[in-house]
Amino acid sequence: MRREELAGERWISQPPGSVCHDWLVRTLRATGYEPLIVHQAGENHTQVALVAAGLGIALVPRLGRGALPPEVAPIRLDPMPKRLLHAMWRTGAARRPAIRETVRTLQDLWPAIASSV
């Protein structure tokens, strides 16, 4: 579904000033309309519960939402929002096996995970 097709929908969003809220508003305004935000919730599971209750739609990151209840259907956006992943550690910690293995695993697996989101 293209973002333009969501004009006129009632939105559930993070509170103003949060990164997710600001991204949602900026992105939807760029498609030519002002989003109608009818509910705000700082937790992803609360947003999903509001969607399940039929109170609006929400854009919730798949990595932060868990399983969806039967009343909620995920819809793939076109174009799909992208997420950058940054791994950071203290310079001195780079010699630790756990840090090296975590970074290696992320480098190996993230491209496949990101393309399936």
Side-chain angles (χ1 to χ4, degrees), residues 25-42:
V25 170
R26 185 176 58 251
T27 299
L28 297 179
R29 283 178 179 162
T31 64
Y33 70 92
E34 184 69 24
L36 174 60
I37 298 175
V38 295
H39 296 285
Q40 299 170 15

Side-chain angles (χ1 to χ4, degrees), residues 16-90:
S18 66
V19 171
C20 293
H21 175 274
D22 295 347
W23 182 89
L24 177 70
V25 170
R26 185 176 58 251
T27 299
L28 297 179
R29 283 178 179 162
T31 64
Y33 70 92
E34 184 69 24
L36 174 60
I37 298 175
V38 295
H39 296 285
Q40 299 170 15
E43 304 82 22
N44 292 338
H45 66 276
T46 303
Q47 289 184 31
V48 171
L50 291 168
V51 171
L55 299 176
I57 64 172
L59 184 63
V60 179
R62 192 173 85 178
L63 293 173
R65 67 167 162 78
L68 293 175
E71 306 85 3
V72 176
I75 297 173
R76 190 174 208 77
L77 285 180
D78 179 30
M80 185 66 130
K82 298 293 181 189
R83 174 182 295 216
L84 296 176
L85 178 67
H86 300 275
M88 295 183 281
W89 58 91
R90 288 190 332 263

